[in-house]
Amino acid sequence: MRLAKFNKYRNATASLATREAWYSDLALDASDSVSADGLAIDGHSLYVKATGGNSLQAIDLDCPGKVGSQTTTLTGPTGRIVDWSTALHHDSLVAAASSQGSVTVWQDRVQAVAFDAHASACVSVRFHPTVAGVLATSANSGPTSGEVRLWNVSADTQTPFWHTNVDCGIDSLSLRGDGQLLAASTRAGTCAIYDPRLAGSIDSAVGVTAAFHAAGRPTRVLWTGEAPFLITTGQSKMRERSAALWDQRNLAKPLASLQLQPSTKTLIPLYDEDTRLAYFAEKGDVIIHWADGDPSSASPLAQLGSVVLPAPISGCALLPKHQLGVMRGEIARVHAVVESTGVGQGAAIIPITHIAPRRTYLDFHSDLFPDTRAPLPAQSFESWLDQEPVHIPKMTLDPAKTADSLASLRRTYSDQLARTPAKQGSGWRLPETDHARFKYLEGFAYRPTDHFTNLLNVNLRFSQQNDPVRVGPKHIAVSLKGAGGQVGVFCRDSPGRVSDTPATIVHGADVVDIELDPFDPDVVATAGVDGQLQMWRVPDIPLVGEVTFELEEYIHVTADRIHQVRFHPCARGVVAVLVSDIDAYSIYVYSGLMLHFIVGKTSDGIHSFEWSPSGDRIALTTKKSRLLRIYDARSQDLLASGPAMDSIRPSRIAWLGNCRICLAGFSTGSRRQLALYSTDDLSRPLSTVTIDVGPGVLVPISDADCGTIYLDDRGSRLTHAFEVVGDQLIELPKFESPLPSLGMAALPKAYANVTRCEVLRAYRLNSQSLESVGFRVPRKRPEFFQDAIFPDTVDTETPAVDTLAWLGGAAALPLLINLCPPDMKPLSEAPPVPIRKRTFAVETEQTANNTKDAISAMLSRVDEPDEEQAPSPDSGSDWDD
């Protein structure tokens, strides 16, 4: 039985700061629009609207107390300010929108940009979360019509690059944490979602929520960070304040809802994507509530607590995470603006601290404070507009490492934004060659210190159709024996003797397959016989002893059993699951928790399946009919079919580029074979090689860059290798290990040691250890980068297509990276080897002269008499006469 998931921050306690820590004696204007939070905070300042409503007051974050006379006034827009906000990617940037339709941006408290955004009064203004210089504004041109505009204020022109009209009028705006989608709450009680980057997205929403809130009442919308979930607030028909949590992929009804006491004013939503806690502040009331905002928890939006303030609230905001007191367990700090704190006293901003209880706070608790978003832009305007994948820069909150982490990120992302966008090309095609280039391929084992030894409980009965070991850039997952389905997780950078009590994930039932998320190296997926697919988050702590793994997401498959799991190679969050019922096998394709496609349903049974490198097709082999089939993953159409192996014994598939498929299995008489197919014609294989006769399953690992295939021989000490030359399979030298293999997993090509001409880096599991092995080829000039065998390779750690775009039918283009180290020069650019000019005549003459000199020297030594043996003139010889 699976235990329900609860938010680990549910026991946090909230307390008001002492009066010395308040920002008091303020003269404020409490009037603003529905979308305004009444307060904005960045890394240095707090921003509130000054009396009169035509300017903002900037208050130093580090200087609490009576600050009424110590504020900096920011004057800019014509008309009264109705909304203002700060940027996630900058620590000193604020924008304000006015009732005259103008927008002003200040940087470091100095006016940077001012322009007229709308002909009517603005409703809201928001910074883009990942791109510097992009603003979103909204306005209502009438009671039942509104418009949203996007601006690139970094450009010379002051015209919007995107706009859309919204029926029923707009109340608020919110951009998703990765900047890909924009949501607008309307006066009809609904919320419309747009993708500004899509062609034809003007006046065309990609989704609209159901009318959960009452029409004509103020509504708000807020994305929950980068996740595909959003929170809306509004009122019911009985004027009860309500909040709803929505899944972007199913907007027919909310996942959960929350009802509060009746009121006519706005309910302000705040969200902390690190802790997944939602905060709700009621304007005009004295209570701030917080709830479980985790969509995967047992009770989403369940209230966890509340705090009472001394005066009515007019605004609130969350402090940036890197400003928290993490060494005292502070997980969040809400600043609330109250109208008055006593007779004759002005308004005040009161910090409310949320503390997670721990026995001691002497050490940094990494389980409470995961890496958080850094105040840096994540991509350029051009790359965002071209729908290129984005990596949000995240920094550690450990005070001992924060400065170095932020400095390193600044260097990395400044260089990244300065470079041209990532190359896109045909990285899924095989190299064209007419001869074997790797006939001297050499397999080798790394030093014993690079192995993982002392593996005590390796699962020797893991399914032969799946792999008991998975390797990623950061972690290694190995199936272990034990109750409840155990998976050991090791840090790849910490080889050596494994602890007797390694960090272990317990699935809750026997595990049938393991996978690592290619786009999130800290996520391990486990599939069990209980029909559940569970996604576990690996904590950023030493993986030794009792380690708590957070269950981030789980999918309860509506089938009898799960057999295989494969993540999509190009789109984040898409996973395919091979399942079976009583009478049929199918492949379910999920995005998040939603089932989108059912592919290849058959009563013949399915041995295994694999995504194509471009992620648009799925290849599978059937059991009874012994066929190889290719399906379109989104239309579920059968594209091609042909005979597979002659035996019903397990066979495994590997794509070699986008146009070749390798099939390893058995023919009649237990002969193990490797077959090469063209995706254009599956009627017969292009080439077939019989390896030997044996019972062990052959598991193929392909390298499309080199056109090579490696076969892990289960139960044997050998690893076979083949190269594709034209349409033929050429056998390469084998690699032999001391112990039989239980499984082998390869790292992405980017992790091979190209300075040693290593073309593959892998880990080989046996019953006692996990060996680190590699395959390399000899080269004459190894001091140069061998660009002939290391072409630009596909970046397998970056999504090549947006998830929603892929679900909508978009094609993925491979993102290519260059493997050449910065301190090496490509061989194609190296100077030629100097060749000494020699002629046949000169060589013949020189050889003849050398021979004559040798003969002359020998004869001279023979002709010279030995002085010791020469006869003396006075020797008295008989021949003297």
Side-chain angles (χ1 to χ4, degrees):
M1 179 178 178
R2 182 181 177 275
L3 297 177
K5 179 185 177 183
F6 295 96
N7 195 306
K8 63 181 177 182
Y9 303 94
R10 64 186 182 277
N11 295 323
T13 59
S15 61
L16 273 63
T18 60
R19 281 187 173 267
E20 291 76 12
W22 294 9
Y23 304 85
S24 57
D25 198 21
L26 296 170
L28 305 180
D29 187 331
S31 62
D32 48 37
S33 69
V34 171
S35 66
D37 291 336
L39 175 66
I41 307 177
D42 59 24
H44 303 293
S45 306
L46 301 99
Y47 302 93
V48 289
K49 187 162 62 168
T51 302
N54 296 321
S55 60
L56 294 179
Q57 289 183 348
I59 306 167
D60 289 337
L61 191 61
D62 298 331
C63 299
K66 294 185 177 181
V67 297
S69 61
Q70 302 172 11
T71 62
T72 301
T73 301
L74 307 181
T75 304
T78 57
R80 297 176 61 86
I81 294 176
V82 294
D83 189 25
W84 64 102
S85 63
T86 54
L88 291 176
H89 53 70
H90 198 284
D91 261 344
S92 187
L93 202 63
V94 61
S98 76
S99 59
Q100 299 296 323
S102 62
V103 173
T104 305
V105 179
W106 294 270
Q107 183 172 343
D108 297 323
R109 303 188 181 182
V110 177
Q111 181 175 320
V113 178
F115 61 95
D116 293 329
H118 300 274
S120 57
C122 290
V123 173
S124 59
V125 58
R126 292 291 183 270
F127 280 98
H128 194 282
T130 63
V131 181
V134 175
L135 284 170
T137 62
S138 65
N140 291 317
S141 55
T144 59
S145 63
E147 61 178 353
V148 179
R149 294 179 176 179
L150 290 183
W151 309 80
N152 182 11
V153 296
S154 300
D156 294 335
T157 178
Q158 291 187 356
T159 58
F161 64 87
W162 181 87
H163 71 278
T164 186
N165 295 317
V166 180
D167 295 334
C168 306
I170 301 172
D171 279 340
S172 67
L173 286 181
S174 179
L175 288 113
R176 202 168 73 178
D178 56 8
Q180 297 180 0
L181 297 176
L182 181 147
S185 65
T186 70
R187 293 176 177 176
T190 62
C191 178
I193 300 175
Y194 300 88
D195 188 343
R197 305 169 305 164
L198 293 179
S201 60
I202 297 177
D203 299 337
S204 178
V206 297
V208 179
T209 66
F212 179 78
H213 306 290
R217 311 282 168 79
T219 59
R220 291 288 302 271
V221 61
L222 180 67
W223 286 96
T224 60
E226 305 170 51
F229 301 95
L230 61 160
I231 294 174
T232 60
T233 63
Q235 298 176 11
S236 67
K237 293 181 179 180
M238 302 302 295
R239 296 190 180 275
E240 290 181 329
R241 301 190 193 188
S242 59
L245 178 64
W246 302 83
D247 187 339
Q248 163 202 326
R249 298 154 296 189
N250 182 14
L251 299 176
K253 63 178 181 178
L255 292 175
S257 61
L258 175 67
Q259 301 294 330
L260 299 173
Q261 67 270 24
S263 176
T264 58
K265 295 190 176 180
T266 309
L267 184 64
I268 303 174
L270 304 175
Y271 190 80
D272 183 348
E273 60 180 314
D274 292 342
T275 61
R276 299 183 181 180
L277 293 177
Y279 301 85
F280 301 99
E282 306 179 45
K283 283 189 177 181
D285 205 342
V286 295
I287 300 177
I288 294 180
H289 304 269
W290 66 91
D292 185 358
D294 187 352
S296 63
S297 66
S299 301
L301 287 190
Q303 289 195 55
L304 301 178
S306 61
V307 63
V308 179
L309 282 84
I313 301 167
S314 60
C316 63
L318 278 169
L319 185 71
K321 298 290 284 190
H322 58 278
Q323 296 289 341
L324 295 177
V326 296
M327 296 308 293
R328 53 190 176 93
E330 185 181 30
I331 60 171
R333 191 187 305 172
V334 179
H335 286 72
V337 182
V338 296
E339 297 175 0
S340 176
T341 56
V343 179
Q345 298 180 0
I349 302 174
I350 303 177
I352 304 163
T353 297
H354 292 253
I355 302 292
R358 285 294 185 269
R359 290 184 179 179
T360 177
Y361 298 105
L362 296 177
D363 299 320
F364 175 72
H365 292 276
S366 58
D367 60 321
L368 290 179
F369 303 102
D371 289 353
T372 191
R373 179 190 289 263
L376 296 171
Q379 59 185 158
S380 65
F381 174 73
E382 291 77 14
S383 62
W384 172 76
L385 207 58
D386 292 340
Q387 303 186 37
E388 293 183 9
V390 59
H391 286 288
I392 304 298
K394 293 195 174 182
M395 57 183 288
T396 179
L397 292 177
D398 187 346
K401 304 175 182 178
T402 299
D404 293 339
S405 173
L406 188 55
S408 176
L409 286 171
R410 289 188 191 278
R411 290 192 299 269
T412 301
Y413 277 84
S414 62
D415 293 343
Q416 187 180 58
L417 294 177
R419 291 197 300 264
T420 56
K423 293 185 294 183
Q424 291 185 334
S426 55
W428 294 316
R429 293 192 304 185
L430 292 178
E432 297 180 0
T433 179
D434 57 356
H435 64 280
R437 300 183 299 162
F438 300 96
K439 58 184 177 181
Y440 299 113
L441 181 75
E442 176 191 5
F444 66 96
Y446 276 74
R447 296 174 302 176
T449 54
D450 293 324
H451 301 337
F452 291 81
T453 59
N454 192 44
L455 294 182
L456 302 179
N457 298 312
V458 177
N459 187 359
L460 303 179
R461 296 185 177 181
F462 200 78
S463 171
Q464 290 290 308
Q465 296 182 5
N466 298 320
D467 300 317
V469 57
R470 290 292 184 182
V471 179
K474 291 180 63 176
H475 302 108
I476 300 175
V478 178
S479 176
L480 302 178
K481 292 185 295 186
Q486 300 183 15
V487 177
V489 181
F490 313 107
C491 182
R492 195 180 69 84
D493 293 334
S494 301
R497 183 179 175 85
V498 176
S499 170
D500 292 342
T501 57
T504 304
I505 293 173
V506 180
H507 178 92
D510 289 344
V511 173
V512 296
D513 200 8
I514 308 167
E515 270 289 318
L516 300 183
D517 191 335
F519 307 124
D520 190 341
D522 293 324
V523 171
V524 179
T526 59
V529 296
D530 56 352
Q532 289 192 8
L533 175 61
Q534 300 178 357
M535 309 289 185
W536 301 88
R537 171 73 57 181
V538 180
D540 190 15
I541 58 175
L543 300 179
V544 179
E546 295 292 334
V547 175
T548 301
F549 293 89
E550 180 184 357
L551 182 58
E552 190 164 86
E553 188 176 277
Y554 79 93
I555 300 173
H556 188 82
V557 178
T558 57
D560 292 343
R561 183 162 181 170
I562 298 178
H563 298 275
Q564 278 185 338
V565 177
R566 296 292 184 268
F567 278 102
H568 195 282
C570 302
R572 184 193 300 271
V574 178
V575 62
V577 185
L578 174 59
V579 301
S580 64
D581 285 316
I582 298 176
D583 56 349
Y585 279 66
S586 305
I587 298 173
Y588 289 177
V589 179
Y590 289 89
S591 174
L593 304 178
M594 182 177 293
L595 174 62
H596 287 273
F597 311 115
I598 299 178
V599 181
K601 187 172 184 179
T602 176
S603 59
D604 290 344
I606 299 175
H607 278 305
S608 63
F609 77 96
E610 291 292 342
W611 288 99
S612 66
S614 57
D616 58 344
R617 291 167 294 169
I618 290 178
L620 59 86
T621 56
T622 62
K623 294 181 179 180
K624 295 179 182 179
S625 56
R626 290 171 286 182
L627 295 175
L628 172 62
R629 293 174 175 172
I630 300 177
Y631 287 87
D632 186 295
R634 288 166 291 200
S635 67
Q636 300 109 59
D637 294 335
L638 178 62
L639 303 179
S641 179
M645 296 294 177
D646 292 336
S647 174
I648 62 172
R649 301 185 64 182
S651 58
R652 294 291 297 268
I653 299 174
W655 287 78
L656 193 64
N658 232 13
C659 56
R660 296 288 186 269
I661 292 178
C662 298
L663 187 60
F666 297 84
S667 67
T668 56
S670 295
R671 290 180 298 174
R672 300 191 298 176
Q673 291 184 338
L674 175 66
L676 178 68
Y677 291 83
S678 170
T679 56
D680 297 330
D681 182 12
L682 299 183
S683 60
R684 55 177 297 179
L686 299 174
S687 178
T688 302
V689 175
T690 299
I691 299 171
D692 57 15
V693 176
V697 174
L698 296 172
V699 180
I701 299 173
S702 63
D703 180 358
D705 293 340
C706 298
T708 52
I709 307 159
Y710 304 86
L711 294 179
D712 176 39
D713 194 345
R714 297 284 173 86
S716 170
R717 297 184 298 171
L718 295 177
T719 300
H720 307 269
F722 295 86
E723 181 179 359
V724 176
V725 179
D727 292 335
Q728 299 300 313
L729 291 168
I730 306 300
E731 187 173 5
L732 302 178
K734 303 178 180 66
F735 169 65
E736 186 171 358
S737 185
L739 294 174
S741 170
L742 297 177
M744 189 169 79
L747 282 167
K749 194 61 171 289
Y751 293 87
N753 188 355
V754 297
T755 61
R756 299 177 60 186
C757 300
E758 184 182 56
V759 294
L760 184 75
R761 174 79 184 275
Y763 287 85
R764 196 170 184 273
L765 179 67
N766 57 55
S767 60
Q768 303 173 7
S769 64
L770 187 65
E771 298 176 305
S772 178
V773 299
F775 294 84
R776 62 191 175 200
V777 289
R779 282 296 182 263
K780 287 183 178 180
R781 306 177 73 184
E783 67 274 15
F784 294 100
F785 174 68
Q786 306 293 320
D787 48 353
I789 61 174
F790 294 112
D792 290 349
T793 189
V794 176
D795 185 2
T796 58
E797 299 177 66
T798 303
V801 64
D802 178 70
T803 302
L804 290 179
W806 182 84
L807 293 173
L813 292 176
L815 299 175
L816 305 182
I817 55 176
N818 194 327
L819 298 178
C820 182
D823 57 345
M824 293 185 73
K825 190 174 184 179
L827 182 62
S828 59
E829 302 175 9
V833 178
I835 301 176
R836 187 171 55 187
K837 295 183 178 180
R838 305 171 67 181
T839 63
F840 177 76
V842 173
E843 291 179 357
T844 305
E845 182 180 355
Q846 185 67 32
T847 303
N849 292 338
N850 292 341
T851 304
K852 291 179 180 179
D853 292 343
I855 295 174
S856 299
M858 181 181 64
L859 292 177
S860 64
R861 287 196 297 270
V862 173
D863 291 341
E864 293 177 358
D866 190 347
E867 294 181 357
E868 296 181 358
Q869 298 180 359
S872 174
D874 301 326
S875 60
S877 173
D878 293 340
W879 299 96
D880 289 342
D881 296 336

